[in-house]
Amino acid sequence: MPNIDRRTILTLAAGAASALARPALAQAGYPNRPVTFVIPFAAGGPTDTVARLTAEVMARDLGQPVVVENVGGAGGTLGAQRVAQARPDGHTLLLHHIGMGTTPALYRRLSYDPVNGFEPIGLITEVPMTIVTKRDFPAQNLAELVRVLRERKEGINLANAGVGAASHLCGLLLQSAIQTQVTTVPYRGTGPAMTDLIGGAVDLMCDQTTNTTEQIRAGAIRAFAVTTRTRNAALPDLPTAAEAGLPGFEVSVWHGLYAPRNTSAEIVNRLSRALQFALRDERLVARFAELGTAPVPQDQATPAFHRQYWQADIAKWRPIIQAAGQYAD
Ligand code: ASP
């Protein structure tokens, strides 16, 4: 056989071999099928909004769809449990918030390990909260709201997303700051709670700007304060709680992404890079800003920063919850 022919055959053979090898390599690589983000709250709520915006851009970087699955209930512990017990192959992830810092102290009986059951991938965003009521609530400012809550506490329904949810924590802080107690109504997330607040079935809520900003702007609900030290650019007319008469009333809601324990460092790092890609995306940044928040700096969307931040938050909340004796069980 002349040389040229042999070379052609060898080239063809090599080409065929690599074409055959490609699907096999892709199968072994990560991710090789759609990735699921479990959100431990109902669809349409503040964490769901953060998750869907982030998932859409991460999918572009990962080359696979990223599907959001809402597993709400029990203050976020049902969704967290699902991921803690999933295969650690990077295809089932948890997008959760400050509840990852409070749950280890709040819940004394869980069927998963809320501290060691996960590999942190990176922080995402810190979302301010707002104190809001149904539109026709009989108060025009925070001082009047506080007076009505103290006078009529029996008849006031405060909606939240269950023990451990941010709305629950913020509601507790509010009741303790104004030294009164109202009736709480737990939902699987503040998405459905918002529907009831707009409809007037519940009176009051403390919820994240990613769920409240557009409803406040549309006049569907009434807002009294934002719970950060400074005003929020998305709601510039809304006073801070301190300006409105509750000095020191500050709470915001950090979010992070987690894989089940024992997920390989290679996969965790790949996900962290995809998360950083998403948080640099101009359209994501613009949409976050419209909803009153911003992505964390790139160096915080990393496993190391996230782990240290999360552990510090667990250590911060444990003594506060123990002193209050407020457990979920
Ligand atoms: N983040 C929850 C949700 O998305 C609400 C909460 O934590 O209060 O519904």
Side-chain angles (χ1 to χ4, degrees), residues 116-301:
N116 301 307
F118 305 91
E119 307 289 345
I121 293 166
L123 296 181
I124 302 171
T125 178
E126 182 143 7
V127 186
M129 301 195 83
T130 46
I131 300 171
V132 293
T133 64
K134 62 183 180 183
R135 194 173 34 188
D136 57 0
F137 194 88
Q140 298 301 326
N141 54 47
L142 192 61
E144 285 177 26
L145 173 66
V146 169
R147 202 181 59 237
V148 176
L149 295 184
R150 285 193 178 129
E151 282 168 4
R152 293 194 12 214
K153 53 187 173 190
E154 298 301 307
I156 308 273
N157 291 317
L158 167 71
N160 69 29
V163 178
S167 46
H168 169 251
L169 284 176
C170 186
L172 279 183
L173 289 176
L174 180 64
Q175 292 173 85
S176 108
I178 66 175
Q179 293 174 331
T180 194
Q181 237 180 330
V182 298
T183 308
T184 53
V185 185
Y187 289 77
R188 292 160 76 84
T190 52
M194 177 58 79
T195 306
D196 276 4
L197 190 70
I198 292 169
V202 288
D203 302 293
L204 172 69
M205 187 155 70
C206 190
D207 195 19
Q208 297 158 65
T209 56
T210 40
N211 200 31
T212 60
T213 302
E214 289 181 341
Q215 306 302 344
I216 294 168
R217 286 216 203 102
I221 56 174
R222 185 172 295 163
F224 294 84
V226 62
T227 64
T228 40
R229 193 164 300 170
T230 54
R231 289 193 180 203
N232 193 286
L235 296 162
D237 298 333
L238 191 61
T240 65
E243 284 173 333
L246 284 181
F249 189 90
E250 280 170 32
V251 48
S252 50
V253 187
W254 60 273
H255 287 69
L257 189 63
Y258 305 79
R261 173 174 48 196
N262 292 332
T263 304
S264 72
E266 200 184 346
I267 290 177
V268 168
N269 289 331
R270 175 71 192 92
L271 285 163
S272 171
R273 286 201 303 278
L275 178 60
Q276 289 164 17
F277 171 85
L279 300 184
R280 290 194 297 270
D281 181 77
E282 270 176 31
R283 282 176 50 200
L284 177 139
V285 174
R287 186 67 187 133
F288 270 24
E290 280 170 4
L291 297 173
T293 189
V296 296
Q298 294 272 291
D299 63 349
Q300 299 187 9

Side-chain angles (χ1 to χ4, degrees), residues 10-22:
L10 286 174
T11 309
L12 285 173
S18 82
L20 283 174
R22 236 174 272 131

